[in-house]
């Protein structure tokens, strides 16, 4: 059973067969699928699942805070199930591949008080950009 499925069970989210398949598709490290990719993989497991059902399930998972929407450079939104594990993203400027990275140190500590302009900062998002090995070779 995936970490996501465990979290959803603990929250009491009704796990229909369609919702279970969506959660199973999102299982794993470095998972950043578009809604269409989630649907395509879900259809392999449950042929009758509709695109609307996948979109609805993804919307609910985002609303619950169990999945994070990741948007990069105007590309399609991607869905990251590692919502409860602090991490940053490494994005390929060529193909759009996204990898989770875990730098050391607290990013909030790196923003000097004088640069906060009175904000009470609650979070930080950092995206590293570059070329993946395949794009760099090509």
């Amino acid at each position: 059973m995936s970490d996501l499925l465990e979290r959803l069970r603990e929250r009491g989210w009704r796990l229909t067969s369609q919702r279970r398949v969506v959660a199973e598709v999102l299982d794993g490290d470095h998972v950043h699928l578009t809604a269409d990719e989630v649907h395509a993989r879900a259809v392999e497991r449950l042929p009758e699942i509709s695109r609307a059902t996948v979109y609805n399930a993804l919307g609910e998972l985002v609303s619950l805070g169990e999945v994070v929407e990741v948007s990069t450079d105007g590309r399609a939104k991607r869905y990251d199930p590692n919502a409860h594990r602090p991490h940053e993203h490494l994005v390929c400027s060529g193909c759009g591949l996204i990898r989770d990275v875990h730098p050391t140190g607290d990013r909030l500590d790196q923003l000097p008080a004088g640069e906060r302009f009175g904000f009470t900062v609650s979070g930080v998002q950092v995206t590293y950009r570059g070329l993946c090995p395949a794009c760099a070779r090509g």
Side-chain angles (χ1 to χ4, degrees):
M1 178 175 12
S2 76
D3 181 49
L4 178 58
L5 280 170
E6 287 177 27
R7 293 191 325 251
L8 293 171
R9 277 201 175 106
E10 288 171 5
R11 292 186 72 141
W13 196 53
R14 198 169 131 253
L15 277 172
T16 63
S17 57
Q18 294 90 348
R19 287 174 165 183
R20 174 188 300 280
V21 165
V22 170
E24 288 172 350
V25 166
L26 290 171
D27 184 33
D29 292 330
H30 307 292
V31 175
H32 303 91
L33 301 173
T34 65
D36 288 338
E37 290 169 335
V38 172
H39 178 252
R41 292 181 186 192
V43 165
E44 292 173 5
R45 297 171 185 223
L46 189 66
E48 66 272 15
I49 194 168
S50 71
R51 188 176 310 276
T53 298
V54 169
Y55 274 85
N56 289 338
L58 289 171
E60 289 178 33
L61 290 169
V62 169
S63 293
L64 288 170
E66 295 297 339
V67 171
V68 176
E69 284 183 341
V70 178
S71 299
T72 60
D73 301 334
R75 297 178 189 255
K77 289 180 189 169
R78 295 183 173 269
Y79 295 87
D80 182 352
N82 295 321
H84 298 280
R85 295 184 197 121
H87 65 282
E88 297 166 0
H89 293 110
L90 179 62
V91 179
C92 178
S93 301
C95 67
L97 175 72
I98 302 174
R99 301 293 294 197
D100 290 346
V101 292
H102 303 88
T104 58
D106 184 353
R107 294 288 180 214
L108 285 175
D109 288 343
Q110 295 178 8
L111 182 62
E115 290 293 317
R116 294 180 185 214
F117 302 99
F119 279 62
T120 300
V121 181
S122 59
V124 62
Q125 292 180 338
V126 174
T127 302
Y128 300 91
R129 301 185 188 287
L131 292 175
C132 70
C135 289
R137 282 191 304 271

